[in-house]
Amino acid sequence: MTIQTHKRTCSLCEATCGIEVRHEDGQILSIKGDKDDPFSKGYICPKATALQDLHEDPDRLRLPMIRRGDEWHEVSWNEALDYTASELMRIRDQHGRDAVASYLGNPNVHNYGNLLFGPMLLKAIGSKNKFSATSVDQLPHHMASLQMLGHQLLQPVADIDRTDFLIIIGGNPLASNGSMMTVPDFRGRIKGIQARGGRVLVIDPRATETARVADEHWFIRPGQDIQLLLAVLHVWVHELSAQLPALPDYVTPADLSAICAGMTPEHAADRTGISAEAIRQLAGDWLSAESASCYGRMGVSVQQYGGLCQWLIMVLNIVSGNFDREGGLMLSHPAVDLPAILAARGSRGNFNRYQSRVRGLPEFGGELPVSVLAEEILTSGEGQVKALVTMAGNPVVSTPNSTQLVTALDSLEFMVSIDYYLNETTRHAHVILPPCGPLERDHYDLIFNSFAVRNVAKYAPALFPPDKGAKEDWQIIHGLLKRMGRGSLKTRLQGRLVLGIMGWMKPSGILNAMLKRGPYKLTLKQLKAASSGMDLGPLRPCMPERLFTRDRKLHLAPDLYLEELERVRPQLLAKNVEDLVLIGRRHVRSNNSWLHNSRRLIKGPRRDRLMIHPEDAERFGIAEGGTVEISSRVGKLVTEAEITEEVMPGVVSLPHGWGHNVDGVRLETAREAGGVNTNVLTDDARLDGLTGNAALNGVPVSVAAVSR
Ligand SMILES: Nc1nc2c(c(=O)[nH]1)N[C@H]1C(S)=C(S)[C@@H](COP(=O)(O)OP(=O)(O)OC[C@H]3O[C@@H](n4cnc5c(=O)[nH]c(N)nc54)[C@H](O)[C@@H]3O)O[C@H]1N2
Ligand SMILES: Nc1nc2c(c(=O)[nH]1)N[C@H]1C(S)=C(S)[C@@H](COP(=O)(O)OP(=O)(O)OC[C@H]3O[C@@H](n4cnc5c(=O)[nH]c(N)nc54)[C@H](O)[C@@H]3O)O[C@H]1N2
Ligand code: SF4
Ligand SMILES: [Mo]
């Protein structure tokens, strides 16, 4: 055999980098950046090579497994699918539809087969207890898009390649490679802004990797961003109103001075730790910049005021005259226009159509906040959850109050996990259904092209054929659905027909149909011919045509936000600053909880150390490298301290995704590294009051030195 080169998109994170895989005889020789990819131009991060490790990983499951007691047994696909379908139907028939819950993890959005087939499985189950990683992540973004623009997936992004002033609040793209904004080579693009004479400001309680390459970094006390955002608005309304541009006709006006009432820069300075002078400077620079865009991510979404923060960030981008224009905040025009396709079927997104059974938290987009998953399993009564389906998710490590969730999972009558690994979550399942690996399936970015800072499209066929009998995720779902038909003969026959057609079309056939209907009328054949991807041009203005609101207006200040703001105003006026709070962090050689079995990615010093400021270390008698116990309302754990001025006083930082050294986990390398699971500390009762998103950042904790 000769050496061959295969081009595709790295499916590990949101940056969608083009890669070139050299291979021979089914063996991978190298993975490099694809210089011909019009979007990533050869850029990759160290994680791309982990695709090889994932492909070759002896711990990655190849056959379905059923657990009997503590023993796992490999079984045939038929046996596993029959057993799973019959258990799910048994529980549904005995306890009702809501008794079967589901949790979809982050990799589902990187797998277009799952995106196309997953919703059918959830519909067949018919439960209101649907959960996903959205509610430990980007829920506030979807809420703002839905309430203001009329569609939960219409996500504006900073026009980073043309902006003069980029303000990053609570995001660390140099480690994460960007999120809710698809930007390969963030570092290169920041350099581009600086080379054009523009400026980048980072606002973060930690002096991050991104802060180091920015022009300026300001520390901010966790959870106090709302004060800063309101104070900027206050300066604009009361001190710089003459400079404020008129709102476009398509924007419904709002009483801005009521929104920022009382929120002076002096007031904000006292809470944020940023001086009133700096806030006035920012407000002025923002208005006088040729163009500006403000981008807020995990640090402002996954916190107490996440919903209000993401709304206010949009408000500031719009009121400053930077919405829908070059260099400001813009919308993409993807080749598959997902918002338009969904809207044509009447699906724009929903909020609060129903509530969770125990705590009454609101639904969003057909899901409930995952912070209630454990209590829905543990609280008896009508509608109690008895079975769980997890798909590409590791909630034990990713969602708040892990200890409680572990107790809950152990009490389930039945649990099935569609996953590559026997990990912290799937070890609780009765069946694991492992799909084939990411190089054994075709790929198209249905979601991330919609959040991209340039219009692009790229399709890659599978690199390797799957092992004999192996199934892709969508085939597993298809197999379950075929076994789960219920209802009258007519409904069952109709269901069979739809399944038959979708199975025959496969994800690629459905993709082809969607591409043809899209704004560029592309075909799969054209995409296949452009193996490095197609460039469809820079972002372009599209307002008000692309709005999905019924009145075709952009709603600047929906009542829901105004009501929430009034609810929290007393908290904002009081000084609610905690003594010591915990925040998260990410590392460029890691990816949430599931790439730690790659030796080359995890090598080096342990990464789950608690970052603590020297003043706090002294206050609590903690030594560099010393053992430290961290406690919160719901749990405690012990790790090593790293004393650093990288975090501000009053703030400690731990990454999530660790804690692999647990009985029953079959991940040899990850188990050796072990680490601590920070979500033992995060609290299922701490939420964004508006959306129900978890508030994983800003958790009040105490620390103590442990003598050994
Ligand atoms: N290498 C790597 N890349 C990843 C991932 C990964 O695990 N590893 N995960 C992927 C996923 S799923 C996502 S969602 C994205 C996330 O992408 P990012 O949001 O860029 O990732 P984080 O590193 O969590 O950045 C959050 C920042 O917010 C700061 N912060 C915490 N609390 C506050 C606060 O109250 N206010 C402010 N202003 N800042 C605060 C933290 O210090 C941190 O620097 O990354 C994706 N990419
Ligand atoms: N404290 C704290 N907690 C956090 C965060 C934080 O910043 N701080 N970040 C949150 C965020 S942003 C996110 S997105 C969540 C992530 O939360 P999750 O999505 O629950 O967790 P992951 O670690 O991404 O786990 C992904 C799982 O999917 C499997 N998998 C990977 N690819 C595939 C595939 O193609 N098919 C199938 N079937 N399985 C696959 C992996 O083996 C792994 O078990 O974590 C959240 N948790
Ligand atoms: S930044 Fe890294 S992990 Fe993300 S797509 Fe690019 S190569 Fe893959
Ligand atoms: Mo995420």
Side-chain angles (χ1 to χ4, degrees):
M1 279 280 271
T2 48
I3 296 177
Q4 289 176 289
T5 303
H6 167 90
K7 296 189 170 199
R8 64 189 298 111
T9 308
C10 171
S11 53
L12 293 175
C13 92
E14 301 180 35
T16 70
C17 302
I19 55 172
E20 226 177 62
V21 186
R22 280 174 63 250
H23 60 104
E24 186 179 20
D25 277 339
Q27 292 293 313
I28 296 173
L29 304 173
S30 69
I31 298 182
K32 297 215 163 80
D34 177 4
K35 293 194 183 65
D36 297 326
D37 184 298
F39 195 27
S40 60
K41 300 184 174 141
Y43 171 84
I44 50 167
C45 87
K47 281 190 296 300
T49 52
L51 283 168
Q52 176 177 4
D53 304 341
L54 196 58
H55 180 67
E56 294 166 358
D57 192 346
D59 287 336
R60 183 160 61 81
L61 306 176
R62 267 47 177 200
L63 280 173
M65 300 210 298
I66 291 186
R67 181 168 60 83
R68 300 191 184 99
D70 286 336
E71 299 258 304
W72 286 99
H73 302 270
E74 283 184 350
V75 296
S76 72
W77 275 103
N78 261 334
E79 184 180 347
L81 293 172
D82 284 347
Y83 172 55
T84 304
S86 78
E87 280 296 277
L88 292 176
M89 298 318 281
R90 175 183 70 77
I91 290 173
R92 202 184 89 167
D93 293 344
Q94 263 176 26
H95 303 287
R97 289 175 173 271
D98 292 338
V100 183
S102 57
Y103 173 83
L104 306 191
N106 166 280
N108 283 292
V109 285
H110 299 268
N111 183 328
Y112 87 108
N114 291 27
L115 289 171
L116 294 174
F117 283 77
M120 293 175 68
L121 179 62
L122 301 188
K123 198 169 166 205
I125 293 170
S127 169
K128 75 172 193 183
N129 286 307
K130 290 189 280 181
F131 304 93
S132 82
T134 292
S135 51
V136 281
D137 189 350
Q138 81 288 3
L139 179 44
H141 292 255
H142 295 312
M143 180 70 121
S145 295
L146 174 64
Q147 303 298 340
M148 302 176 80
L149 309 177
H151 200 296
Q152 61 168 345
L153 289 180
L154 206 62
Q155 167 67 37
V157 294
D159 185 19
I160 189 169
D161 291 335
R162 291 178 292 195
T163 197
D164 298 284
F165 187 21
L166 180 65
I167 304 155
I168 302 177
I169 314 185
N172 184 14
L174 262 74
S176 68
N177 279 292
S179 175
M180 292 309 276
M181 179 173 166
T182 286
V183 196
D185 192 12
F186 216 110
R187 182 196 295 268
R189 289 172 206 258
I190 284 183
K191 281 192 185 148
I193 296 175
Q194 292 162 335
R196 292 196 299 276
R199 199 173 130 215
V200 179
L201 167 66
V202 170
I203 301 174
D204 197 299
R206 194 184 131 225
T208 60
E209 294 80 351
T210 309
R212 277 174 237 152
V213 301
D215 299 274
E216 255 183 283
H217 165 239
W218 298 351
F219 281 123
I220 186 164
R221 285 204 192 99
Q224 302 296 331
D225 307 81
I226 185 169
Q227 306 272 9
L228 172 71
L229 299 167
L230 287 168
V232 168
L233 191 61
H234 195 278
V235 178
W236 288 354
V237 170
H238 294 282
E239 300 172 36
L240 300 174
S241 61
Q243 280 185 50
L244 274 184
L247 286 175
D249 288 342
Y250 62 81
V251 177
T252 53
D255 184 352
L256 298 179
S257 67
I259 292 173
C260 60
M263 301 296 166
T264 62
E266 284 71 19
H267 171 87
D270 205 24
R271 277 122 185 115
T272 57
I274 299 171
S275 73
E277 194 192 343
I279 296 172
R280 287 201 167 84
Q281 183 75 41
L282 169 61
D285 290 352
W286 195 329
L287 281 193
S288 55
E290 200 60 47
S291 66
S293 45
C294 177
Y295 162 70
R297 200 51 275 269
M298 283 297 285
V300 274
S301 303
V302 188
Q303 55 134 295
Q304 217 180 337
Y305 302 114
L308 285 170
C309 281
Q310 287 298 347
W311 165 63
L312 284 168
I313 288 174
M314 286 272 276
V315 168
L316 296 184
N317 278 306
I318 295 164
V319 171
S320 63
N322 283 297
F323 187 67
D324 195 41
R325 59 169 284 227
E326 285 184 18
L329 206 66
M330 299 189 83
L331 287 156
S332 68
H333 287 82
V336 174
D337 193 346
L338 220 48
I341 291 173
L342 291 170
R345 290 196 214 141
S347 164
R348 296 177 167 84
N350 301 285
F351 177 59
N352 208 8
R353 281 175 305 173
Y354 49 87
Q355 296 76 33
S356 70
R357 177 180 62 110
V358 179
R359 220 190 302 178
L361 291 189
E363 160 265 1
F364 184 92
E367 290 179 8
L368 290 167
V370 71
S371 293
V372 309
L373 173 57
E375 72 196 26
E376 291 296 332
I377 299 173
L378 292 169
T379 313
S380 54
E382 176 96 24
Q384 181 182 7
V385 170
K386 303 275 186 185
L388 177 66
V389 180
T390 72
M391 201 158 104
N394 192 1
V396 165
V397 179
S398 324
T399 68
N401 198 352
S402 301
T403 313
Q404 179 183 238
L405 185 59
V406 165
T407 309
L409 296 187
D410 276 336
S411 74
L412 286 168
E413 265 184 47
F414 180 71
M415 173 170 163
V416 53
S417 293
I418 305 178
D419 205 289
Y420 296 146
Y421 289 111
L422 179 43
N423 65 19
E424 303 77 16
T425 294
T426 62
R427 76 191 176 104
H428 298 276
H430 298 86
V431 196
I432 304 177
L433 305 171
C436 59
L439 301 177
E440 295 157 349
R441 62 172 196 243
D442 64 342
H443 183 81
Y444 180 84
D445 274 297
L446 268 188
I447 295 282
F448 298 111
N449 286 335
S450 327
F451 303 159
V453 298
R454 202 173 164 88
N455 296 312
V456 287
K458 180 167 174 171
Y459 172 83
L463 164 53
F464 298 121
D467 295 342
K468 197 166 170 288
K471 293 184 191 302
E472 292 186 35
D473 284 271
W474 73 268
Q475 291 169 312
I476 297 174
I477 298 168
H478 195 259
L480 286 174
L481 283 167
K482 277 205 299 204
R483 291 165 171 82
M484 284 171 62
R486 276 287 195 281
S488 67
L489 182 65
K490 194 175 153 210
T491 22
R492 270 181 292 152
L493 285 175
Q494 275 172 346
R496 280 248 148 198
L497 187 67
V498 173
L499 269 181
I501 294 171
M502 285 193 67
W504 171 78
M505 286 180 84
K506 305 193 177 114
S508 58
I510 303 169
L511 172 63
N512 190 34
M514 294 194 297
L515 284 166
K516 284 184 188 167
R517 275 178 56 190
Y520 310 91
K521 311 271 177 259
L522 295 175
T523 61
L524 194 61
K525 202 171 153 198
Q526 284 172 296
L527 280 189
K528 278 183 184 167
S531 63
S532 284
M534 289 175 90
D535 183 23
L536 304 168
L539 303 182
R540 47 182 197 269
C542 59
M543 285 290 128
E545 291 74 31
R546 227 166 127 66
L547 289 171
F548 286 90
T549 47
R550 285 176 214 285
D551 58 3
R552 293 271 158 173
K553 295 273 188 202
L554 188 160
H555 300 178
L556 190 61
D559 286 345
L560 171 114
Y561 287 109
L562 297 177
E563 284 156 17
E564 175 66 5
L565 187 58
E566 288 327 303
R567 189 185 72 80
V568 306
R569 200 179 291 275
Q571 297 166 25
L572 302 182
L573 290 170
K575 198 168 169 181
N576 60 340
V577 176
E578 302 279 351
D579 182 46
L580 192 67
V581 294
L582 173 71
I583 61 170
R585 71 173 184 270
R586 282 174 160 76
H587 191 285
V588 71
R589 301 171 75 86
S590 182
N591 192 27
N592 295 327
S593 75
W594 68 282
L595 283 186
H596 297 159
N597 220 35
S598 159
R599 206 165 281 279
R600 60 178 144 179
L601 279 192
I602 66 151
K603 67 176 186 231
R606 94 182 254 193
R607 288 197 204 130
D608 63 330
R609 304 208 301 169
L610 183 80
M611 287 185 175
I612 184 166
H613 190 272
E615 282 171 23
D616 293 319
E618 198 187 322
R619 184 153 75 104
F620 299 107
I622 289 161
E624 170 62 19
T627 308
V628 52
E629 183 182 78
I630 314 140
S631 319
S632 73
R633 186 188 75 93
V634 299
K636 49 174 77 156
L637 51 80
V638 171
T639 185
E640 204 177 288
E642 175 182 347
I643 301 178
T644 170
E645 288 183 352
E646 211 176 279
V647 287
M648 65 191 290
V651 176
V652 288
S653 159
L654 261 186
H656 75 287
W658 296 91
H660 305 297
N661 194 12
V662 184
D663 283 349
V665 166
R666 204 179 285 177
L667 290 159
E668 200 191 327
T669 305
R671 272 192 77 156
E672 265 172 47
V676 292
N677 173 7
T678 189
N679 285 316
V680 163
L681 299 170
T682 58
D683 189 338
D684 55 305
R686 286 193 84 248
L687 301 169
D688 164 24
L690 182 69
T691 64
N693 203 36
L696 303 174
N697 285 307
V699 181
V701 289
S702 55
V703 295
V706 178
S707 47
R708 277 255 161 106

